[in-house]
Structures are given as structure tokens and as C-alpha cells.
Amino acid sequence: MSSTTSASTSAAPSTPANPRNRVVLASLIGTTIEFYDFYVYATAAVLVFPHLFFPAGDPTTALLQSFAIFGAAMVARPVGAVIFGHLGDKHGRKATLVGALLTMGVATFLIGLLPTYLMVGWFAPLLLVILRIAQGFALGGEWSGAALVATENAPEGKRAWYGTFPQLGAPIGFIIANGLFLIIAAVLPSDDPSSSLPSAAFLDWGWRIPFLFSVVMVIVGLWVRLRLVESAAFTNASNEGKLQKLPLASVFRNYWKQLILGTFFMLATYVLFYLMTTFSLGYGTKPTDVPVPGLGYSYTTFVLMLIGGVVFFGIFTLLSGPWADRWGRRKTLIWVTLGIIVFGLLWVPFLSTGFPGVMAWLIVGFALMGMTFGPMGALLPELFPTNVRYTGSGISYNVSSILGAAVAPFIGTALWAAGGGSPFWVGIYLSVMAVLTLIALIVSKETKDVDYESAGLESSAVL
């Protein structure tokens, strides 16, 4: 197959099919809702589910069981990427994105109606697993579609900048989800403020509110997405008869190197992401006087600290786009990944100096998260031509979720327990995963100048 030509030597890009404000809003609001739904579960996995959906016993075991169900969604994500990717590459991005949003919204709403373990026994965690898998299935189709809406409608030279808008949904969704949990916790305060255990009213019904509230956000998201029209890149590929009958087969046959590279590009990002959000919440709120001690902060205090860190996640996500457009995706991410490696080695020095150190740990970790996550909105889609772009980028993004996000909170908790409460081995785990990402970046080629209008030529992003 011939290599993709650079944008400078290709035909002039087509006029975007959607106005800029519609592109930004449609790509941002969908991922915000999807990540809101995901974070609502992640917060409940630490705060609520160990108490309500598993038999009474060792609290660390219950937390690990809750994280195992959290990871089940990651396993479902590649399946969602295949199904939604197939539909998106054959029938268009718009209808696929609407379907992904509806699936996530219904699953999240139903979690808010579930009976607990005391009501129906093991049937309760079984239902939780099923709905959690549905969430993962939906998110598997959401991200790549939103990234394509942004980048296929981007002006020349600004693909990475536009690609940061779906990425920005992650910090915004986190802030909304955890902010809502904070408000509910304040309205239904714990009888023991020094304890990380929520109040009886919170455990009884308060935790359900964020899940049920998702239906409102889904309605808004649907209204925005139904106004989209297909991108010029997809329309041209369809008019030229270059759509694939089986995009999945084409991806594995012709673009398997890109799949592998894309998966490892995302590995450090995923591990960092879920250690800084899901794992850190359990670690930060665990008492200091137990066999596997944590930082001993109250839930409210630590979530406020997390939200402060996530603000830097959002800021550096936006900043990373112009940097990646100016210096290239590869160079930008190599430097950021080196930063993640060093950061993983410094967990103990950060976390052993009290509140200033913990806050600095959160700020640095989330700033690095923004810088590594932002360029991915352009980088992964650029690995594939239009007719398999939804499938290829979605599979890479979501297979990496199994290697990284599915096991990161579980491995982090296990390493934390093995270290007797020390986070040293958790930081080492992050650094090792970042080394694998660094290797993938070093052996790859730059993608910022590939011809994004190409309907079916092999990408030049690999050696």
C-alpha cells in the first residue's frame, strides 16, 4: 500500500460540514456526559458499593471486589469500539454517537434504581456487573466518535487543538460528578465527620441521585448531537465508494501495526488517569490507624483536593493541543511521558510531606494527565484513514483500557496493601507502564501532517 501524503501536498481540505460552535459543543458535551456517568460509578465504587453490594467482611476485600466490577466495564469497551466503530465507519458518525449516548444514559439511570445485597443477595452485584458492562460498551463507542467529529471538522493545522475538546469532557465530567456527590454528602452529613463512612441516609438513598440525574444530561446531549451533519471526510469516502464492508477485517489486515502502537500510546495515560482518580480516592480517605493505612482525609476534604487537581487537568488538556500542533504529537508526548516516569518515582517524597506534598502530587499528576490525554484526540484518529478511522482509533483507545484502566485501581490497591500502606510500588507500577508508552512513541513517526482526507491509504505513522 502507498503511504499517506502530507497535508501540504494533498488536495485542499474540504469545507467543514458543521460550524465551529456546533463541533465544539457536540464533541465536548457527549464526552462530558459519558465521563460524568463513568465517574459517578467510580466514586460510588469507593464510597458506596463496598458497603451495599457485597457481604460484610474485610473492607479491603470489598473494595477490591468493587474495583473488579469497575474493571469489567473496561473489558466491554473494546467490544463497544468494534460494534459502534463498524456502524460509524459504514453508516456515519452521527447516528452512532446518538446510540452510544443513549446506551450509557439508560445504564447509568438503572444503576440508580438497583436493589442492594441485603435486599436480593448476590443478584445485586450481578445486576451491577451487567449495567457496568453496558456503561463500558457505550463508552467504547463514544470517545472515537466524538474525536472524529472534532478532528474531521477542524481547520487545517488545528486538528490537535480541536481534538482536545472531547478530551476536556473528562475533567469537566469529573468535577460535575464529584461536585454533586459533595453537595449530597453535605446535605446528608455523616454522624462521625472524622470517618470516611457516609451517613445512613446517604447509603440508603442519597447515592442514587447522581445516577438518576444523568437522564437530564443525556437529554441535553441528544438535542445537540441530533443537529450534527456528517463530516466532509466521511461523506467523500462514501461518495467515492471507499467504505469498507467489514471495517474490522480491514483494520486487522492492513493497519495492525497502528493498532498496536495506538494501544501502547494510551497505556501510560490510562494508568495515570485511574490511579489519580479512582485509586487516589480510596487511598486518600483510608484511615491512618488500620493495617493498610491511607492518608486519613475525610471524604469531603479529599474530593475538594481532587477537584483542585482536576482543574489543572482541564487547563493542561487545552494547552496541550496548540503545543502538539506546533511541535508535533510525537515530540510533545515523548517529553510528557518522560515526566510521568519521573513522577511515578517521586510518589513517596510527595506523599510523605503532609498536605502541601499531597496537593502538589495531585496538581503535578493531573497536569501531566492533561498533557498526555489532550493530544490523543488527534493522534489516534490520525493513525487510520477515513473508512476505518472510527474502528481503528476506537479499538486502540479501548484495548488500552484493559491493559491500563481495567487493572490500574485493582493493581494499585493490591500494591498498596503489599507495601503495608506505602504507595512506593504503586508509583513504580506507573513508571513501568510509562516506559512501555515511551518505547512505542520512540519507534513511531509523526502524524500531524498526514492527509486526513484520505479514504483508504495506509498511514505513515509507523516505521
Side-chain angles (χ1 to χ4, degrees), residues 120-430:
V120 295
W122 281 105
F123 195 56
L126 175 61
L127 289 173
L128 186 61
V129 168
I130 293 171
L131 293 176
R132 182 60 179 164
I133 288 174
Q135 281 190 317
F137 179 79
L139 191 55
E142 164 62 31
W143 177 85
S144 49
L148 265 56
V149 165
T151 56
E152 288 183 345
N153 288 279
E156 184 176 357
K158 293 186 177 181
R159 273 203 307 265
W161 165 236
Y162 269 57
T164 62
F165 291 111
Q167 310 301 75
L168 194 60
I172 294 175
F174 181 94
I175 291 171
I176 296 174
N178 284 278
L180 186 53
F181 265 115
L182 276 180
I183 292 171
I184 296 168
V187 174
L188 305 172
S190 173
D191 297 330
D192 181 7
S194 64
S195 171
S196 61
L197 186 67
S199 67
F202 188 100
L203 290 174
D204 185 32
W205 58 269
W207 68 271
R208 300 178 183 274
I209 296 174
F211 290 93
L212 301 177
F213 177 72
S214 67
V215 71
V216 177
M217 300 181 68
V218 169
I219 291 171
V220 176
L222 288 174
W223 176 77
V224 173
R225 286 195 164 171
L226 287 171
R227 300 177 66 208
L228 285 173
V229 296
E230 292 298 344
S231 69
F234 178 83
T235 301
N236 291 340
S238 178
N239 292 339
E240 294 169 10
K242 293 187 176 180
L243 300 184
Q244 297 290 303
K245 183 178 181 180
L246 292 173
L248 179 64
S250 178
V251 164
F252 279 102
R253 182 173 58 250
N254 300 316
Y255 309 105
W256 58 271
K257 292 181 181 178
Q258 288 88 331
L259 286 175
I260 294 172
L261 279 177
T263 297
F264 281 94
F265 287 165
M266 278 295 302
L267 185 60
T269 304
Y270 264 126
V271 174
L272 177 62
F273 189 44
Y274 285 93
L275 288 181
M276 294 305 299
T277 53
T278 306
F279 167 78
S280 69
L281 183 59
Y283 175 66
T285 58
K286 190 75 174 288
T288 58
D289 56 353
V290 295
V292 182
L295 295 176
Y297 290 97
S298 69
Y299 168 75
T300 299
T301 299
F302 196 75
V303 170
L304 286 172
M305 293 166 66
L306 274 176
I307 290 175
V310 170
V311 170
F312 288 86
F313 179 7
I315 291 171
F316 281 91
T317 295
L318 285 176
L319 290 175
S320 68
W323 293 344
D325 278 327
R326 180 177 180 181
W327 297 314
R329 292 75 161 119
R330 181 175 176 270
K331 180 185 287 188
T332 300
L333 287 169
I334 284 175
W335 282 108
V336 174
T337 305
L338 286 169
I340 295 172
I341 294 171
V342 174
F343 174 67
L345 299 176
L346 297 177
W347 275 37
V348 170
F350 270 121
L351 295 169
S352 61
T353 54
F355 176 82
V358 175
M359 200 65 236
W361 174 71
L362 291 171
I363 290 173
V364 172
F366 279 116
L368 287 168
M369 182 62 222
M371 286 187 280
T372 186
F373 192 51
M376 294 297 174
L379 174 59
L380 296 187
E382 286 170 348
L383 295 175
F384 306 92
T386 302
N387 60 356
V388 294
R389 185 171 291 144
Y390 203 131
T391 300
S393 61
I395 291 175
S396 295
Y397 182 85
N398 289 291
V399 168
S400 190
S401 75
I402 297 178
L403 302 179
V407 296
F410 191 88
I411 291 177
T413 301
L415 291 174
W416 167 33
S422 170
F424 174 78
W425 290 111
V426 185
I428 295 298
Y429 164 58
L430 171 62

Side-chain angles (χ1 to χ4, degrees), residues 37 306 450:
D37 290 346
L306 274 176
V450 299

Side-chain angles (χ1 to χ4, degrees), residues 100-133:
L101 187 61
L102 278 173
T103 303
M104 175 66 91
V106 170
T108 304
F109 181 81
L110 291 177
I111 289 176
L113 301 176
L114 284 181
T116 64
Y117 182 84
L118 288 178
M119 297 176 182
V120 295
W122 281 105
F123 195 56
L126 175 61
L127 289 173
L128 186 61
V129 168
I130 293 171
L131 293 176
R132 182 60 179 164
I133 288 174

